[in-house]
Amino acid sequence: MKAQTGKLFDANKQLSSSFVNQVYLDNDGFVWAATRNGLNKYDGYQFHILKKETSQDMGMASNYVNCILQDKRGMFYVGMYGALQSFNSYRFHDIKVHDLNGKIMPPYVTCIVERHNGDILIGTSGHGLLRLTDADNAYQIGGALKDLISVHAMIEDSHNRLWLATEKQGLVCYDGQKTQYYFTEGDFCADLRSVAEGKDKKIYIGTAHHGLYVLDKKGGFEHVAVTGNLPIVA
């Protein structure tokens, strides 16, 4: 058995920035790195960099890229500081973001998820949760989720429940009918950074200063002791 070795990519070696907000594997096996200074696509040999000033004919809105998602049809959605865009591999397209009153606003997009039913949901910092309604528009979601302000991360689990790691409301679980809240006390409310469903179908929560937590059989979250107070942000 041979030891495995890795490669470090940073601003001094191929990447456009060492501040990487997301690493994403697309439907064709390409790896994308969303950074604070451009969008990077890795083909297995080298990174190809997309930046606003060098891709003017493509219509890229910002170099500050937080997240990227490719839907089942192959369309990419890119979340940026101040913009939400779709991307068909050739051109970027602006998507207007509307608040609960219908007013168009510049978003700070933090995460994007495609639900099992095909809905595209967009998490933001400052304007809660959005839903893409057509190719040109996304609207803030009201109802049970209207009070959300800042969403750090979200998933839809295998039971079609939405899990949202937020800044003000802690961890929010929404099953379409009822809403449950976790980690609403003390420092934990602002400490949540990531949420994932494991191969064991358990829900895992990463925090900035308190390690990793897992949903137990009793419906509460238990600290994974080996993670201590390590930052688990992705």
Side-chain angles (χ1 to χ4, degrees), residues 78-92:
V78 184
M80 305 168 176
Y81 180 84
L84 172 65
Q85 294 190 297
S86 58
F87 178 55
N88 63 3
S89 297
Y90 301 99
R91 284 196 58 82
F92 290 87

Side-chain angles (χ1 to χ4, degrees), residues 126-182:
H127 294 98
L129 190 62
L130 315 171
R131 184 173 69 87
L132 189 74
T133 56
D134 56 55
D136 299 313
N137 299 279
Y139 284 81
Q140 188 173 356
I141 293 176
L145 301 176
K146 68 180 178 60
D147 293 328
L148 294 179
I149 299 173
S150 295
V151 180
H152 291 304
M154 67 174 160
I155 62 165
E156 182 184 27
D157 69 15
S158 53
H159 299 287
N160 298 324
R161 298 175 297 184
L162 279 178
W163 293 87
L164 305 105
T166 76
E167 184 174 344
K168 299 292 185 180
Q169 291 90 359
L171 178 68
V172 179
C173 177
Y174 180 63
D175 66 4
Q177 296 182 335
K178 62 180 180 179
T179 308
Q180 291 181 280
Y181 297 87
Y182 306 84

Side-chain angles (χ1 to χ4, degrees), residues 40-88:
N40 300 247
K41 179 182 180 183
Y42 185 61
D43 62 8
Y45 299 97
Q46 62 182 346
F47 280 95
H48 302 271
I49 299 171
L50 296 175
K51 296 180 70 174
K52 181 178 179 180
E53 57 271 21
T54 57
S55 307
Q56 292 182 356
D57 58 332
M58 299 177 73
M60 188 173 180
S62 172
N63 289 332
Y64 199 127
V65 184
N66 282 321
C67 53
I68 182 171
L69 170 88
Q70 186 181 28
D71 70 11
K72 297 171 184 176
R73 301 171 302 162
M75 180 66 76
F76 289 96
Y77 296 93
V78 184
M80 305 168 176
Y81 180 84
L84 172 65
Q85 294 190 297
S86 58
F87 178 55
N88 63 3

